[in-house]
Amino acid sequence: MPSPYQPTNIAIIGAGPAGAATALRLSYLGIPCVLIDKAGFPRDKICGDALSGKVPTLLNRLDPAIMDRFRQRFRPVDVWGIRFYPPSKKLIELPFKVGYERIPDEAPGYVAKRLDFDAFLIEEVRRRPNIELHLNTEISSYEKTPTGYRIQAKDGGPAWECRLLIDASGAHSRFSRKEAGQEVDHDHYAAAVRAYYRGVTGFHPDNFIELHFLEKYNPGYFWIFPLPGGQANVGLGMRSDIVKKKKINLREALDEIIASPDFAPRFANAEQIDPTAGYGLPLGSKERTLSGDNYLLTGDAGHLIDPLTGEGIGNATYSGFIAAELAEKCLAENRFDAAFLAAYDVRIARVLRTELRLSYRMQQIMQIKWLTNLLTGIVAANPKVIEVLCRMYTDFELRKQIVKPLFWWKLFRAKTGKMPLPETVEAER
Ligand SMILES: Cc1cc2nc3c(=O)[nH]c(=O)nc-3n(C[C@H](O)[C@H](O)[C@H](O)COP(=O)(O)OP(=O)(O)OC[C@H]3O[C@@H](n4cnc5c(N)ncnc54)[C@H](O)[C@@H]3O)c2cc1C
């Protein structure tokens, strides 16, 4: 009897940003793969819908035509900075680029509904002849074999036997938990709810996204992001251990915040256009092993969300590219064992871990109210420091300085006239 398992070198489970990015990168490297998703697209993914600079940068690197096609087709909101409200409510506006000129096609970030963005990635996948795409196909069983994995879709659906399994099945990945042993740790996990509104007012003219760090919901934040067509993505996210400890109902909390005197005027003529929905965020604040014999974990399945900002699409895309580039080496060397695949963790550490560690440090600092208020007070009063912080998005060395107490001590002393500004700030004058 012929085997029900179709042979393939590489199978990817999940066709969200992590899986689609892996398949596209492989495709551009000339390597065929099977890409499987349980959903039909377009499909919603509960998210803030903000695409950080990493996403256009990586897609442009793959093929500049990709982001051009996306911008033309969906006209996403072009984002030029962040409005950051610490618990003291002292507004800090951080443009992504100092002295920027607003050219929408060159925006450093975008906001677009995941319904559109993810479906667009699938369209890109369909353009590639060497990606075998299977939608509406839910993988329900995994079996380790001496040479790889056997995977089977539910209800007697198709089955494959692969040498490398790339798990991109998101925050609720069963493979990540059961096969790779990456259990949820509530100290390193967040819960969040999202609602779509129409008619919210008071946005920055250049579409700055807004993060409101409210004392009652720390660590976490309330966000308002502008969407195309006068809509807005509004939500609240918090670390899961605190949600549990304080018994917070995030849906009720979101409604409460919107109705509070600080926000009610901006929602006075707004209407909610779909029910509030929630989902989990596996944060990258805990180091985990993301590879093993014949498998790699990418995106949310690998717990790679930024623990301060909740940004995960960029890291999902990045991890997909890294997985694809290693898969090329696996095929060249005919090696799919854990020792060889450990190179994935090494590269993830080099490219993403330092940033995740810094964000975790900042998340911890944000829990100390007096310190956050002191630091943000210094920043708000000093335009030169704001310029330096803007450089933080692209200057990694600077970001490392910012989490060091000495940097802030020097700023504090400079503010009180007791010391010159630190060199990083001086250099900006
Ligand atoms: C409320 C909220 C707000 C957020 N806001 C932002 C934001 O503004 N910006 C940002 O960058 N990040 C944000 N994130 C994080 C971001 O949504 C994720 O990091 C991102 O979706 C990860 O992409 P992924 O491809 O790893 O997983 P997903 O996007 O979840 O894709 C996983 C795919 O796997 C499929 N799948 C699952 N199980 C199976 C199976 N058994 N068989 C076949 N297919 C399967 C699913 O159908 C899905 O299509 C937010 C998250 C939440 C919850």
Side-chain angles (χ1 to χ4, degrees):
M1 211 172 94
S3 164
Y5 295 97
Q6 302 165 51
T8 175
N9 280 328
I10 302 166
I12 305 163
I13 305 177
T22 311
L24 286 169
R25 183 75 187 104
L26 281 168
S27 169
Y28 277 83
L29 288 168
I31 300 169
C33 67
V34 171
L35 176 64
I36 307 154
D37 202 291
K38 67 180 179 186
F41 285 71
R43 62 105 179 86
D44 187 23
K45 157 72 177 79
I46 298 152
C47 187
D49 299 330
L51 303 174
S52 74
K54 271 183 206 155
V55 180
T57 303
L58 288 168
L59 293 178
N60 274 324
R61 201 184 289 170
L62 192 60
D63 181 353
I66 296 181
M67 273 311 287
D68 285 347
R69 284 194 281 268
F70 179 67
R71 281 185 287 255
Q72 276 162 22
R73 185 139 148 53
F74 291 107
R75 308 228 164 267
V77 160
D78 53 320
V79 176
W80 294 87
I82 298 186
R83 273 183 167 170
F84 174 85
Y85 296 82
S88 64
K89 298 178 189 167
K90 217 173 247 175
L91 167 64
I92 297 174
E93 288 192 341
L94 291 179
F96 290 138
K97 287 180 187 166
V98 182
Y100 64 89
E101 184 191 349
R102 186 173 166 186
I103 303 169
D105 281 0
E106 292 170 18
Y110 293 93
V111 186
K113 283 189 180 178
R114 291 290 298 275
L115 189 81
D116 296 331
F117 180 67
D118 290 20
F120 171 77
L121 290 179
I122 293 295
E123 278 175 28
E124 289 297 313
V125 161
R126 288 191 201 278
R127 299 171 77 95
R128 309 295 305 174
N130 52 358
I131 304 176
E132 191 185 316
L133 178 66
H134 295 262
L135 298 181
N136 303 302
T137 306
E138 179 171 352
I139 296 302
S140 59
S141 76
Y142 312 88
E143 185 199 336
K144 181 80 186 77
T145 68
T147 55
Y149 272 94
R150 284 179 166 171
I151 55 174
Q152 164 85 57
K154 76 173 189 191
D155 301 329
W160 291 269
E161 180 154 22
C162 62
R163 293 208 282 170
L164 180 60
L165 180 67
I166 299 182
D167 179 20
S169 62
H172 302 163
S173 164
R174 203 160 61 85
F175 182 91
S176 176
R177 280 198 333 272
K178 301 288 176 209
E179 284 284 324
Q182 298 304 330
E183 288 293 345
V184 168
D185 176 342
H186 290 290
D187 294 357
H188 301 275
Y189 203 86
V193 290
R194 172 215 76 187
Y196 285 130
Y197 273 82
R198 186 180 293 118
V200 180
T201 54
F203 284 109
H204 186 282
D206 294 337
N207 300 325
F208 283 26
I209 56 171
E210 295 176 28
L211 310 185
H212 300 260
F213 290 82
L214 309 173
E215 203 178 325
K216 193 171 164 191
Y217 303 105
N218 192 359
Y221 62 82
F222 166 62
W223 73 80
I224 312 178
F225 297 167
L227 276 165
Q231 295 188 15
N233 182 319
V234 179
L236 175 66
M238 269 189 89
R239 233 175 54 199
S240 297
D241 57 324
I242 314 283
V243 173
K244 272 189 154 185
K245 200 165 111 192
K246 294 191 176 170
K247 296 192 174 62
I248 292 172
N249 178 323
L250 289 175
R251 281 181 175 78
E252 287 173 14
L254 181 65
D255 290 343
E256 226 173 79
I257 294 167
I258 289 170
S260 69
D262 281 344
F263 297 101
R266 296 183 59 190
F267 286 81
N269 296 312
E271 55 162 338
Q272 188 170 349
I273 52 183
D274 76 338
T276 304
Y279 210 76
L281 293 90
L283 305 177
S285 42
K286 177 173 166 175
E287 307 233 345
R288 293 167 183 269
T289 303
L290 307 183
S291 61
D293 282 323
N294 305 92
Y295 75 81
L296 299 173
L297 307 178
T298 58
D300 282 9
H303 298 246
L304 286 173
I305 295 183
D306 187 292
L308 181 70
T309 62
E311 186 228 325
I313 305 167
N315 287 353
T317 309
Y318 225 137
S319 62
F321 276 33
I322 294 171
E325 285 157 21
L326 181 60
E328 185 189 34
K329 292 198 177 97
C330 291
L331 290 166
E333 304 276 328
N334 198 22
R335 290 270 310 268
F336 298 89
D337 54 286
F340 195 79
L341 289 171
Y344 178 69
D345 288 283
V346 172
R347 191 141 172 239
I348 290 283
R350 210 174 59 226
V351 178
L352 300 177
R353 286 273 176 230
T354 318
E355 189 182 337
L356 291 170
R357 244 178 264 134
L358 288 179
S359 287
Y360 185 40
R361 198 109 52 93
M362 286 194 197
Q363 186 217 79
Q364 288 172 312
I365 290 172
M366 296 281 299
Q367 286 171 65
I368 310 168
K369 187 183 158 195
W370 68 266
L371 184 58
T372 310
N373 285 342
L374 176 73
L375 300 182
T376 48
I378 294 171
V379 173
N382 200 329
K384 283 285 160 204
V385 179
I386 292 184
E387 279 186 28
V388 173
L389 292 180
C390 294
R391 280 178 31 226
M392 177 176 84
Y393 299 111
T394 47
D395 185 338
F396 202 65
E397 281 309 309
L398 178 61
R399 247 193 277 178
K400 282 192 198 158
Q401 294 298 319
I402 282 165
V403 291
K404 288 189 181 152
L406 190 63
F407 175 88
W408 293 97
W409 174 243
K410 284 183 184 170
L411 273 184
F412 179 68
R413 301 273 290 172
K415 193 180 166 227
T416 52
K418 295 196 173 104
M419 245 175 126
L421 286 166
E423 305 82 71
T424 34
V425 182
E426 280 295 349
E428 284 296 302
R429 294 185 136 177

